[in-house]
Amino acid sequence: LEAFFGKLRDLDTLPKDTPQKLSELSRQIDELQAHSAGSLAPAQLQLLAQKRQELEKIRQERIQQTQKWLKTIAMRYKEGASPNELLEELKRSPHLAFLSKEKQQLLEQVKSDLQKKIDQDKYSQIKILFNQLSPPMRRKCLQELQRLLEE
């Protein structure tokens, strides 16, 4: 019985920050129940059920946090936030693992669109700066760009 409660306490200390880790914890709960099958009282079975519910609650909260975060990113984009900042934020978010496959595909499309926007902005900046150069500097710039292109 002490071993059962010790293992149950150990489960509380394990990380719960990805869907895989939550699934692993669920598997360990199932394993604990299977190994103690005949010796568990109804109260102990209830504790295992509570642990499963806690894990599912954590999973649902993380999914909701991720969806809220994505909506915030979309709103910031519509409000004119920097595509560079948004792209960096999308790349480093800890929540991405909790997105469904469909949402992950959508997120990849958003990242691609942001990168295209960033590239287009850089292209526009280069054109503006190029037009500000004197004709001799433009030629020199073109030669250098041609050299870089051929490398």
Side-chain angles (χ1 to χ4, degrees):
L1 200 56
E2 283 183 41
F4 170 83
F5 285 111
K7 289 180 181 179
L8 203 56
R9 275 191 304 276
D10 289 345
L11 293 176
D12 287 335
T13 64
L14 297 174
K16 300 165 184 73
D17 56 343
T18 68
Q20 295 80 10
K21 289 177 183 174
L22 290 173
S23 294
E24 174 60 21
L25 285 169
S26 291
R27 189 193 61 73
Q28 288 181 24
I29 290 171
D30 293 343
E31 215 173 82
L32 182 58
Q33 184 172 352
H35 287 327
S36 310
S39 63
L40 295 179
Q44 292 156 335
L45 291 172
Q46 181 61 32
L47 278 174
L48 291 175
Q50 280 180 306
K51 289 293 178 194
R52 284 187 187 95
Q53 289 173 347
E54 288 172 18
L55 292 178
E56 186 56 30
K57 182 180 178 188
I58 290 169
R59 182 183 310 276
Q60 293 305 316
E61 286 172 352
R62 298 277 162 77
I63 289 170
Q64 289 174 351
Q65 288 172 348
T66 301
Q67 290 173 346
K68 182 179 176 184
W69 174 78
L70 279 176
K71 287 179 184 176
T72 302
I73 293 287
M75 186 175 15
R76 288 177 51 209
Y77 180 71
K78 287 178 184 174
E79 292 172 351
S82 162
N84 287 320
E85 289 176 19
L86 295 175
L87 186 59
E88 285 305 311
E89 198 169 329
L90 288 174
K91 286 180 180 178
R92 69 175 189 270
S93 172
H95 304 292
L96 300 180
F98 287 93
L99 289 174
S100 67
K101 295 286 185 212
E102 179 184 297
K103 297 281 186 189
Q104 286 179 2
Q105 289 173 345
L106 180 62
L107 182 63
E108 288 306 313
Q109 182 60 49
V110 169
K111 285 181 184 178
S112 175
D113 291 348
L114 284 170
Q115 188 61 55
K116 287 176 187 173
K117 173 80 170 114
I118 291 167
D119 290 346
Q120 183 61 44
D121 289 350
K122 287 178 183 177
Y123 173 76
S124 296
Q125 288 174 340
I126 290 169
K127 266 178 67 175
I128 290 169
L129 292 172
F130 183 80
N131 286 328
Q132 292 174 355
L133 294 173
S134 66
M137 284 305 292
R138 285 184 193 173
R139 280 192 274 303
K140 184 176 179 181
C141 183
L142 281 173
Q143 290 169 350
E144 181 65 18
L145 290 173
Q146 187 64 41
R147 186 188 65 74
L148 290 172
L149 188 61
E150 292 171 359
E151 286 183 352

